[in-house]
Amino acid sequence: MSRLDWQIGTVAAITTDTPRVKTLTLSLPNWTAHRAGQHYDLRLSAPDGYQTERSYSIASPPEQTGEIALTVELIADGEVSGYLHEGVAVGDQLELRGPIGGYFVWPAGAPDAPLLLVAGGSGVVPLMAMLRHRQRAGLPSPAVLLFSIRTPEEVIYQQELEAMAQADPAFTLLLAYTRQAPAGWAGYHRRIDAAMLAEAVARLPGAPQCYVCGPTGLVESVATLLQAQGLPDEAIRTERFGPTGP
Amino acid sequence: MPFINKGFHAKRPTDGPHKLPPGQYETQDFPVLTAGPTPRINLANWEFRLEGLVENPVKWSWNEFNALPQQDFNPDIHCVTKWSKFDTKWRGVSLDTLLEHVQLQPEAEFVLAFSYGGYTTNLPLADLRNGQAFIGLQYEGKPLTPEHGGPARLVVPHLYFWKSAKWVQGLRLLGVNKPGFWEEAGYSMYGDPWKEQRYGSDDDDETDTSSLRL
Ligand SMILES: Cc1cc2nc3c(=O)[nH]c(=O)nc-3n(C[C@H](O)[C@H](O)[C@H](O)COP(=O)(O)OP(=O)(O)OC[C@H]3O[C@@H](n4cnc5c(N)ncnc54)[C@H](O)[C@@H]3O)c2cc1C
């Protein structure tokens, strides 16, 4: 069996990360070690033969063997995210194939280079796999995660990220709230801009490898700002998902 | 017995004149998928080239290219990331028009499209002829925006959309099928949405993809 054959995974656990985000842990009969940043394709089949597919980034690190975690944001009126949120319980089965994706992966290129991760909303998922891999494998790259979210209740993986930042002086977590910040918040309360990116880069000891993931508008603007700060195109990898709306 | 997800039904039944290839869903949006930053291209330096296995390589400037006969195209398009979009509205230059300007060498059977920013993708030459492909310059009546591949992108609607190279700079005619950017990373060498040829292992001839970095 090749890793791109469809297989049937079993939902081993479901956790609620935020009011609109759940993580499904699936145990796979044919688990293959992935690279942080890769995704699985998931296929749903209806009794009348209708099938549809979507991609979901792997949230778990390759060290978590035998299973993968997928973190799914509920999209308003979403066909697949709606089913995964409401129609799936522990013990149910789902058809999927992977791991897939050879470009938006870390480590890559210069494996020890400092790491600048920039996420919008559920775009944090593949970046979380990178951070978990970095932690579990004890990789030395200094890292910054600049994470843009609308409101305090929408911070995916908040406890784990804060604990990681506490425990590891080489990792910095920067949250940027775009709409509502927590009471007494002294950090960023605006969209990601040039000054914020310059500050994030300045926390790293050298020119970073950048991974940017989120809605199109955010990725487009962040990648352009990073270029403008003199980072070479090869050092900026992007992945865009989530609705393209304004 | 085929696998069924209990309680799952299509949310938006698609009927009417359009058909969705297997695994796809319809979107009204126009999502953007690109591996890196969007290249910014100065029209004063822009050029489009036909090169490789041709007797007379040609090169057009932006003004020369825009002076070529243009047509309207309203294709359905299908992205390998599962979205499809029906009846998109483009204006551009047919590949048939461009190919009239060169004398092909007989071995020319494949094409490698190359782009500003370094992107490449491969296609059989036959898939670019007879009204099947064009260089899009306008989308919905406006110049094509940079994030969608402007100022000019290849559009080959019958293949997955990663074959429709954004920021296209030219086509190199080749005698062998040479993988491009995503194909090197394990994506299909052909990309037929109706056969769901997403990855190399979905290709008919089961080409050996074991060495690829998918
Ligand atoms: C490589 C990759 C990795 C991904 N990883 C994740 C992940 O880790 N977590 C996650 O939650 N999602 C991820 N996605 C997005 C996911 O594949 C689905 O698009 C998403 O779950 C919405 O599907 P749906 O069926 O619920 O919505 P749909 O029924 O498809 O759409 C509902 C509405 O939202 C719009 N819409 C939905 N998704 C998109 C989109 N991607 N682009 C443009 N418009 C859209 C549609 O046009 C429609 O109007 C990833 C996508 C890609 C390509």
Side-chain angles (χ1 to χ4, degrees), chain A residues 188-215:
Chain A
Y188 299 129
H189 186 179
R190 60 182 201 268
R191 288 185 172 208
I192 293 178
D193 57 19
M196 229 184 255
L197 288 168
E199 282 163 22
V201 171
R203 289 186 185 247
L204 293 164
Q209 289 245 14
C210 309
Y211 293 84
V212 186
C213 187

PDB file of all heavy atoms in Angstrom, chain A residues 188-215:
ATOM      1  N   TYR A 188       0.052  43.412  20.859  1.00  0.00           N
ATOM      2  CA  TYR A 188      -0.484  43.953  19.611  1.00  0.00           C
ATOM      3  C   TYR A 188      -2.007  43.884  19.563  1.00  0.00           C
ATOM      4  O   TYR A 188      -2.607  42.874  19.918  1.00  0.00           O
ATOM      5  CB  TYR A 188       0.055  43.162  18.420  1.00  0.00           C
ATOM      6  CG  TYR A 188       1.561  43.207  18.281  1.00  0.00           C
ATOM      7  CD1 TYR A 188       2.288  42.027  18.146  1.00  0.00           C
ATOM      8  CD2 TYR A 188       2.235  44.423  18.265  1.00  0.00           C
ATOM      9  CE1 TYR A 188       3.661  42.057  17.994  1.00  0.00           C
ATOM     10  CE2 TYR A 188       3.622  44.458  18.115  1.00  0.00           C
ATOM     11  CZ  TYR A 188       4.325  43.272  17.979  1.00  0.00           C
ATOM     12  OH  TYR A 188       5.674  43.306  17.828  1.00  0.00           O
ATOM     13  N   HIS A 189      -2.608  44.974  19.095  1.00  0.00           N
ATOM     14  CA  HIS A 189      -4.051  45.006  18.904  1.00  0.00           C
ATOM     15  C   HIS A 189      -4.325  45.678  17.559  1.00  0.00           C
ATOM     16  O   HIS A 189      -4.835  46.777  17.468  1.00  0.00           O
ATOM     17  CB  HIS A 189      -4.703  45.781  20.063  1.00  0.00           C
ATOM     18  CG  HIS A 189      -6.205  45.734  20.024  1.00  0.00           C
ATOM     19  ND1 HIS A 189      -7.006  46.327  20.967  1.00  0.00           N
ATOM     20  CD2 HIS A 189      -7.059  45.150  19.157  1.00  0.00           C
ATOM     21  CE1 HIS A 189      -8.283  46.126  20.668  1.00  0.00           C
ATOM     22  NE2 HIS A 189      -8.331  45.419  19.567  1.00  0.00           N
ATOM     23  N   ARG A 190      -3.895  45.022  16.497  1.00  0.00           N
ATOM     24  CA  ARG A 190      -4.088  45.536  15.136  1.00  0.00           C
ATOM     25  C   ARG A 190      -3.699  44.429  14.160  1.00  0.00           C
ATOM     26  O   ARG A 190      -3.209  43.386  14.585  1.00  0.00           O
ATOM     27  CB  ARG A 190      -3.239  46.784  14.904  1.00  0.00           C
ATOM     28  CG  ARG A 190      -1.729  46.566  15.079  1.00  0.00           C
ATOM     29  CD  ARG A 190      -0.941  47.869  14.886  1.00  0.00           C
ATOM     30  NE  ARG A 190       0.457  47.624  14.553  1.00  0.00           N
ATOM     31  CZ  ARG A 190       1.448  47.536  15.459  1.00  0.00           C
ATOM     32  NH1 ARG A 190       1.184  47.633  16.760  1.00  0.00           N
ATOM     33  NH2 ARG A 190       2.694  47.327  15.070  1.00  0.00           N
ATOM     34  N   ARG A 191      -3.960  44.672  12.903  1.00  0.00           N
ATOM     35  CA  ARG A 191      -3.535  43.704  11.885  1.00  0.00           C
ATOM     36  C   ARG A 191      -2.019  43.675  11.772  1.00  0.00           C
ATOM     37  O   ARG A 191      -1.351  44.677  12.051  1.00  0.00           O
ATOM     38  CB  ARG A 191      -4.099  44.097  10.528  1.00  0.00           C
ATOM     39  CG  ARG A 191      -5.571  43.866  10.441  1.00  0.00           C
ATOM     40  CD  ARG A 191      -6.011  44.155   9.031  1.00  0.00           C
ATOM     41  NE  ARG A 191      -7.400  43.754   8.894  1.00  0.00           N
ATOM     42  CZ  ARG A 191      -7.946  43.371   7.746  1.00  0.00           C
ATOM     43  NH1 ARG A 191      -7.217  43.361   6.652  1.00  0.00           N
ATOM     44  NH2 ARG A 191      -9.200  43.013   7.699  1.00  0.00           N
ATOM     45  N   ILE A 192      -1.488  42.561  11.292  1.00  0.00           N
ATOM     46  CA  ILE A 192      -0.046  42.450  11.117  1.00  0.00           C
ATOM     47  C   ILE A 192       0.420  43.525  10.131  1.00  0.00           C
ATOM     48  O   ILE A 192      -0.162  43.696   9.064  1.00  0.00           O
ATOM     49  CB  ILE A 192       0.326  41.050  10.599  1.00  0.00           C
ATOM     50  CG1 ILE A 192       0.012  40.020  11.695  1.00  0.00           C
ATOM     51  CG2 ILE A 192       1.796  40.993  10.188  1.00  0.00           C
ATOM     52  CD1 ILE A 192       0.287  38.580  11.289  1.00  0.00           C
ATOM     53  N   ASP A 193       1.443  44.266  10.537  1.00  0.00           N
ATOM     54  CA  ASP A 193       1.971  45.310   9.651  1.00  0.00           C
ATOM     55  C   ASP A 193       3.502  45.235   9.617  1.00  0.00           C
ATOM     56  O   ASP A 193       4.099  44.353  10.253  1.00  0.00           O
ATOM     57  CB  ASP A 193       1.481  46.699  10.095  1.00  0.00           C
ATOM     58  CG  ASP A 193       1.854  47.014  11.535  1.00  0.00           C
ATOM     59  OD1 ASP A 193       2.775  46.351  12.076  1.00  0.00           O
ATOM     60  OD2 ASP A 193       1.241  47.918  12.132  1.00  0.00           O
ATOM     61  N   ALA A 194       4.102  46.175   8.902  1.00  0.00           N
ATOM     62  CA  ALA A 194       5.558  46.137   8.697  1.00  0.00           C
ATOM     63  C   ALA A 194       6.316  46.230  10.021  1.00  0.00           C
ATOM     64  O   ALA A 194       7.286  45.504  10.246  1.00  0.00           O
ATOM     65  CB  ALA A 194       5.972  47.280   7.763  1.00  0.00           C
ATOM     66  N   ALA A 195       5.839  47.103  10.930  1.00  0.00           N
ATOM     67  CA  ALA A 195       6.539  47.297  12.203  1.00  0.00           C
ATOM     68  C   ALA A 195       6.525  45.994  13.005  1.00  0.00           C
ATOM     69  O   ALA A 195       7.537  45.589  13.595  1.00  0.00           O
ATOM     70  CB  ALA A 195       5.870  48.413  12.991  1.00  0.00           C
ATOM     71  N   MET A 196       5.391  45.330  13.023  1.00  0.00           N
ATOM     72  CA  MET A 196       5.261  44.078  13.762  1.00  0.00           C
ATOM     73  C   MET A 196       6.205  43.011  13.212  1.00  0.00           C
ATOM     74  O   MET A 196       6.861  42.289  13.963  1.00  0.00           O
ATOM     75  CB  MET A 196       3.825  43.595  13.577  1.00  0.00           C
ATOM     76  CG  MET A 196       3.124  43.209  14.842  1.00  0.00           C
ATOM     77  SD  MET A 196       1.506  42.563  14.368  1.00  0.00           S
ATOM     78  CE  MET A 196       0.460  43.907  14.820  1.00  0.00           C
ATOM     79  N   LEU A 197       6.271  42.934  11.893  1.00  0.00           N
ATOM     80  CA  LEU A 197       7.147  41.926  11.281  1.00  0.00           C
ATOM     81  C   LEU A 197       8.615  42.256  11.554  1.00  0.00           C
ATOM     82  O   LEU A 197       9.414  41.357  11.822  1.00  0.00           O
ATOM     83  CB  LEU A 197       6.883  41.826   9.774  1.00  0.00           C
ATOM     84  CG  LEU A 197       5.560  41.147   9.429  1.00  0.00           C
ATOM     85  CD1 LEU A 197       5.222  41.353   7.963  1.00  0.00           C
ATOM     86  CD2 LEU A 197       5.607  39.658   9.753  1.00  0.00           C
ATOM     87  N   ALA A 198       8.942  43.554  11.523  1.00  0.00           N
ATOM     88  CA  ALA A 198      10.330  43.948  11.816  1.00  0.00           C
ATOM     89  C   ALA A 198      10.676  43.559  13.245  1.00  0.00           C
ATOM     90  O   ALA A 198      11.777  43.068  13.521  1.00  0.00           O
ATOM     91  CB  ALA A 198      10.503  45.446  11.587  1.00  0.00           C
ATOM     92  N   GLU A 199       9.737  43.751  14.183  1.00  0.00           N
ATOM     93  CA  GLU A 199       9.993  43.383  15.578  1.00  0.00           C
ATOM     94  C   GLU A 199      10.151  41.859  15.718  1.00  0.00           C
ATOM     95  O   GLU A 199      11.008  41.388  16.468  1.00  0.00           O
ATOM     96  CB  GLU A 199       8.864  43.893  16.480  1.00  0.00           C
ATOM     97  CG  GLU A 199       8.983  45.386  16.767  1.00  0.00           C
ATOM     98  CD  GLU A 199       7.682  45.998  17.307  1.00  0.00           C
ATOM     99  OE1 GLU A 199       6.835  45.262  17.852  1.00  0.00           O
ATOM    100  OE2 GLU A 199       7.523  47.223  17.151  1.00  0.00           O
ATOM    101  N   ALA A 200       9.337  41.138  14.999  1.00  0.00           N
ATOM    102  CA  ALA A 200       9.434  39.668  15.071  1.00  0.00           C
ATOM    103  C   ALA A 200      10.792  39.200  14.540  1.00  0.00           C
ATOM    104  O   ALA A 200      11.466  38.372  15.155  1.00  0.00           O
ATOM    105  CB  ALA A 200       8.296  39.028  14.278  1.00  0.00           C
ATOM    106  N   VAL A 201      11.198  39.768  13.403  1.00  0.00           N
ATOM    107  CA  VAL A 201      12.497  39.389  12.816  1.00  0.00           C
ATOM    108  C   VAL A 201      13.630  39.764  13.762  1.00  0.00           C
ATOM    109  O   VAL A 201      14.597  39.007  13.938  1.00  0.00           O
ATOM    110  CB  VAL A 201      12.687  40.052  11.427  1.00  0.00           C
ATOM    111  CG1 VAL A 201      14.100  39.853  10.907  1.00  0.00           C
ATOM    112  CG2 VAL A 201      11.672  39.489  10.422  1.00  0.00           C
ATOM    113  N   ALA A 202      13.494  40.926  14.416  1.00  0.00           N
ATOM    114  CA  ALA A 202      14.557  41.410  15.301  1.00  0.00           C
ATOM    115  C   ALA A 202      14.751  40.502  16.516  1.00  0.00           C
ATOM    116  O   ALA A 202      15.794  40.525  17.152  1.00  0.00           O
ATOM    117  CB  ALA A 202      14.240  42.835  15.753  1.00  0.00           C
ATOM    118  N   ARG A 203      13.753  39.707  16.858  1.00  0.00           N
ATOM    119  CA  ARG A 203      13.905  38.790  17.990  1.00  0.00           C
ATOM    120  C   ARG A 203      14.734  37.558  17.626  1.00  0.00           C
ATOM    121  O   ARG A 203      15.055  36.750  18.490  1.00  0.00           O
ATOM    122  CB  ARG A 203      12.534  38.322  18.469  1.00  0.00           C
ATOM    123  CG  ARG A 203      11.784  39.447  19.149  1.00  0.00           C
ATOM    124  CD  ARG A 203      10.503  38.923  19.737  1.00  0.00           C
ATOM    125  NE  ARG A 203       9.734  40.021  20.272  1.00  0.00           N
ATOM    126  CZ  ARG A 203       9.491  40.193  21.580  1.00  0.00           C
ATOM    127  NH1 ARG A 203       9.961  39.336  22.457  1.00  0.00           N
ATOM    128  NH2 ARG A 203       8.770  41.203  21.979  1.00  0.00           N
ATOM    129  N   LEU A 204      15.037  37.426  16.370  1.00  0.00           N
ATOM    130  CA  LEU A 204      15.787  36.243  15.922  1.00  0.00           C
ATOM    131  C   LEU A 204      17.235  36.634  15.669  1.00  0.00           C
ATOM    132  O   LEU A 204      17.517  37.759  15.267  1.00  0.00           O
ATOM    133  CB  LEU A 204      15.149  35.672  14.655  1.00  0.00           C
ATOM    134  CG  LEU A 204      13.748  35.085  14.880  1.00  0.00           C
ATOM    135  CD1 LEU A 204      13.007  34.887  13.570  1.00  0.00           C
ATOM    136  CD2 LEU A 204      13.851  33.764  15.649  1.00  0.00           C
ATOM    137  N   PRO A 205      18.157  35.678  15.883  1.00  0.00           N
ATOM    138  CA  PRO A 205      19.581  36.012  15.786  1.00  0.00           C
ATOM    139  C   PRO A 205      20.106  36.126  14.348  1.00  0.00           C
ATOM    140  O   PRO A 205      21.262  36.464  14.158  1.00  0.00           O
ATOM    141  CB  PRO A 205      20.254  34.851  16.510  1.00  0.00           C
ATOM    142  CG  PRO A 205      19.296  33.726  16.400  1.00  0.00           C
ATOM    143  CD  PRO A 205      17.934  34.333  16.402  1.00  0.00           C
ATOM    144  N   GLY A 206      19.285  35.846  13.358  1.00  0.00           N
ATOM    145  CA  GLY A 206      19.796  35.949  11.985  1.00  0.00           C
ATOM    146  C   GLY A 206      18.634  35.915  11.022  1.00  0.00           C
ATOM    147  O   GLY A 206      17.473  35.870  11.439  1.00  0.00           O
ATOM    148  N   ALA A 207      18.949  35.949   9.734  1.00  0.00           N
ATOM    149  CA  ALA A 207      17.893  35.975   8.717  1.00  0.00           C
ATOM    150  C   ALA A 207      17.063  34.687   8.806  1.00  0.00           C
ATOM    151  O   ALA A 207      17.606  33.597   8.777  1.00  0.00           O
ATOM    152  CB  ALA A 207      18.513  36.114   7.336  1.00  0.00           C
ATOM    153  N   PRO A 208      15.749  34.820   8.938  1.00  0.00           N
ATOM    154  CA  PRO A 208      14.914  33.629   9.125  1.00  0.00           C
ATOM    155  C   PRO A 208      14.436  32.978   7.832  1.00  0.00           C
ATOM    156  O   PRO A 208      14.395  33.600   6.786  1.00  0.00           O
ATOM    157  CB  PRO A 208      13.712  34.189   9.884  1.00  0.00           C
ATOM    158  CG  PRO A 208      13.589  35.599   9.404  1.00  0.00           C
ATOM    159  CD  PRO A 208      14.975  36.067   9.067  1.00  0.00           C
ATOM    160  N   GLN A 209      14.062  31.702   7.987  1.00  0.00           N
ATOM    161  CA  GLN A 209      13.184  31.018   7.025  1.00  0.00           C
ATOM    162  C   GLN A 209      11.773  31.346   7.456  1.00  0.00           C
ATOM    163  O   GLN A 209      11.442  31.158   8.629  1.00  0.00           O
ATOM    164  CB  GLN A 209      13.280  29.513   7.217  1.00  0.00           C
ATOM    165  CG  GLN A 209      14.530  28.890   6.790  1.00  0.00           C
ATOM    166  CD  GLN A 209      14.273  27.957   5.625  1.00  0.00           C
ATOM    167  OE1 GLN A 209      13.220  27.974   4.999  1.00  0.00           O
ATOM    168  NE2 GLN A 209      15.254  27.158   5.317  1.00  0.00           N
ATOM    169  N   CYS A 210      10.940  31.788   6.528  1.00  0.00           N
ATOM    170  CA  CYS A 210       9.593  32.207   6.912  1.00  0.00           C
ATOM    171  C   CYS A 210       8.536  31.255   6.356  1.00  0.00           C
ATOM    172  O   CYS A 210       8.636  30.832   5.202  1.00  0.00           O
ATOM    173  CB  CYS A 210       9.307  33.600   6.371  1.00  0.00           C
ATOM    174  SG  CYS A 210      10.583  34.785   6.763  1.00  0.00           S
ATOM    175  N   TYR A 211       7.570  30.940   7.186  1.00  0.00           N
ATOM    176  CA  TYR A 211       6.401  30.153   6.775  1.00  0.00           C
ATOM    177  C   TYR A 211       5.179  30.975   7.137  1.00  0.00           C
ATOM    178  O   TYR A 211       4.999  31.329   8.301  1.00  0.00           O
ATOM    179  CB  TYR A 211       6.369  28.808   7.496  1.00  0.00           C
ATOM    180  CG  TYR A 211       7.496  27.893   7.079  1.00  0.00           C
ATOM    181  CD1 TYR A 211       8.752  28.001   7.664  1.00  0.00           C
ATOM    182  CD2 TYR A 211       7.300  26.944   6.074  1.00  0.00           C
ATOM    183  CE1 TYR A 211       9.792  27.166   7.267  1.00  0.00           C
ATOM    184  CE2 TYR A 211       8.331  26.115   5.679  1.00  0.00           C
ATOM    185  CZ  TYR A 211       9.583  26.230   6.279  1.00  0.00           C
ATOM    186  OH  TYR A 211      10.603  25.411   5.879  1.00  0.00           O
ATOM    187  N   VAL A 212       4.373  31.267   6.117  1.00  0.00           N
ATOM    188  CA  VAL A 212       3.211  32.130   6.322  1.00  0.00           C
ATOM    189  C   VAL A 212       1.970  31.359   5.901  1.00  0.00           C
ATOM    190  O   VAL A 212       1.907  30.846   4.772  1.00  0.00           O
ATOM    191  CB  VAL A 212       3.325  33.414   5.468  1.00  0.00           C
ATOM    192  CG1 VAL A 212       2.197  34.381   5.790  1.00  0.00           C
ATOM    193  CG2 VAL A 212       4.680  34.076   5.659  1.00  0.00           C
ATOM    194  N   CYS A 213       0.983  31.260   6.785  1.00  0.00           N
ATOM    195  CA  CYS A 213      -0.210  30.482   6.440  1.00  0.00           C
ATOM    196  C   CYS A 213      -1.453  31.133   7.027  1.00  0.00           C
ATOM    197  O   CYS A 213      -1.462  31.532   8.195  1.00  0.00           O
ATOM    198  CB  CYS A 213      -0.069  29.053   6.975  1.00  0.00           C
ATOM    199  SG  CYS A 213      -1.407  27.971   6.434  1.00  0.00           S
ATOM    200  N   GLY A 214      -2.481  31.233   6.206  1.00  0.00           N
ATOM    201  CA  GLY A 214      -3.730  31.821   6.677  1.00  0.00           C
ATOM    202  C   GLY A 214      -4.591  32.198   5.494  1.00  0.00           C
ATOM    203  O   GLY A 214      -4.366  31.728   4.381  1.00  0.00           O
ATOM    204  N   PRO A 215      -5.578  33.072   5.718  1.00  0.00           N
ATOM    205  CA  PRO A 215      -6.410  33.520   4.607  1.00  0.00           C
ATOM    206  C   PRO A 215      -5.582  34.290   3.590  1.00  0.00           C
ATOM    207  O   PRO A 215      -4.556  34.896   3.941  1.00  0.00           O
ATOM    208  CB  PRO A 215      -7.456  34.419   5.249  1.00  0.00           C
ATOM    209  CG  PRO A 215      -7.218  34.406   6.703  1.00  0.00           C
ATOM    210  CD  PRO A 215      -5.969  33.658   7.001  1.00  0.00           C
TER     211      PRO A 215
END
